[in-house]
Amino acid sequence: MSNSPAYTPPAVWTWNKENGGRFASINRPISGPTHDKELPVGRHPLQLYSLATPNGVKVTVMLEELLALGHAGAEYDAWLIRIGDGDQFGSGFVQVNPNSKIPALMDRSGPEPVRVFESGAILLYLAEKFGAFLPTEQPARAECLSWLFWQMGSAPYLGGGFGHFYAYAPTKIEYAIDRFAMEAKRQLDVLDRRLSESRYLAGDDYTVADIAVWPWYGALAKGQLYEAGEFLQVQEYTHVLRWADEIAQRPAARRGRMVNRVSGQPASQLHERHDASDFDTRTQDKLAASGG
């Protein structure tokens, strides 16, 4: 362990705006909007406000998978929310998600708009709405929901824990990195053991559980998250790698990963999605080539 002086918490915690690292400008201990800004509304029944973080990718993959099954009602507009610029604190976004986190969904297909926030809730809502990617019979349904909620409970340890202290924290803290690296590897081992006995998380069929877990742990296992593949020795988790590669070959998963993406190769970035043809005409490489 390092010889850094021990930290003694004060009697009363106070917010130090300068001590937030990369996300200091958007993290704060209060909720609510910081500015007035209405959200745009497109022509489709489903309006998604998001960014291609792992939590955002879950929902765009789900929507693309539903469309691939022929569910025309799953057509959607995906509007880009730049969280680094604080878009999630606009008044319109806060009305859809009072927690000011992406993704957020408005379903305008019925007589009254329905808001849905929290990525797991959105996946479950869409699965039930369209009757897809969620088993209807037990015990498969219970297995699927267990893995879906496992992901929702485990991701804060991976993203807010390991990812923050390993990749984003202004100071590298040995204890914090060790603690969360251990937990990240334990979670990968949980998945690897399950996938050693099952093609997908809930059994033989691809479900919302796989859609939820893949953008986090699939990306981690493939070295695409936090550039931590070597550090965590992800090659050990051969069953997770097999599963991650299989999902990555799905055309809908590839499309979903592109939507609202603002990093990586220009050909992988579709900042906003309003029509299926946008994948062919509106990626950043095509816009640059056309001068658009």
Side-chain angles (χ1 to χ4, degrees), residues 68-248:
L69 281 183
H71 293 285
E75 269 294 354
Y76 69 105
D77 291 275
W79 302 93
L80 179 62
I81 299 297
R82 295 183 182 270
I83 62 175
D85 295 341
D87 290 351
Q88 70 275 32
F89 300 119
S91 56
F93 189 90
V94 174
Q95 287 177 354
V96 182
N97 186 354
N99 196 38
S100 291
K101 303 289 185 182
I102 61 94
L105 179 73
M106 287 294 293
D107 182 357
R108 297 178 176 273
S109 62
E112 294 291 333
V114 176
R115 76 175 187 184
V116 195
F117 58 92
E118 289 297 318
S119 57
I122 296 173
L123 292 184
L124 188 55
Y125 177 84
L126 292 172
E128 292 180 336
K129 178 181 178 72
F130 294 102
F133 301 114
L134 181 64
T136 57
E137 302 295 329
Q138 302 293 5
R141 183 180 177 88
E143 190 74 15
C144 175
L145 292 176
S146 294
W147 286 108
L148 174 62
F149 284 94
W150 174 86
Q151 190 281 317
M152 295 299 293
S154 64
Y157 289 95
L158 180 55
F162 174 74
H164 177 77
F165 287 107
Y166 179 77
Y168 304 131
T171 302
K172 301 299 183 188
I173 303 172
E174 183 179 4
Y175 172 78
I177 293 173
D178 283 351
R179 171 66 180 86
F180 287 110
M182 177 178 68
E183 180 62 12
K185 287 183 70 66
R186 189 192 70 81
Q187 291 173 356
L188 284 167
D189 193 53
V190 168
L191 288 176
D192 204 62
R193 290 170 185 267
R194 170 56 179 165
L195 292 167
S196 72
E197 62 188 18
S198 178
R199 179 180 179 185
Y200 294 111
L201 289 171
D204 292 333
D205 296 324
Y206 176 70
T207 68
V208 289
D210 303 287
I211 293 171
V213 174
W214 179 68
W216 279 104
Y217 295 89
L220 184 66
K222 297 300 294 182
Q224 299 165 348
L225 202 60
Y226 311 126
E227 298 182 349
E230 182 178 357
F231 181 75
L232 293 176
Q233 294 293 284
V234 294
Q235 72 275 5
E236 298 173 353
Y237 306 102
T238 56
H239 303 290
V240 176
L241 289 168
R242 182 270 307 164
W243 164 86
D245 286 337
E246 183 171 351
I247 295 175

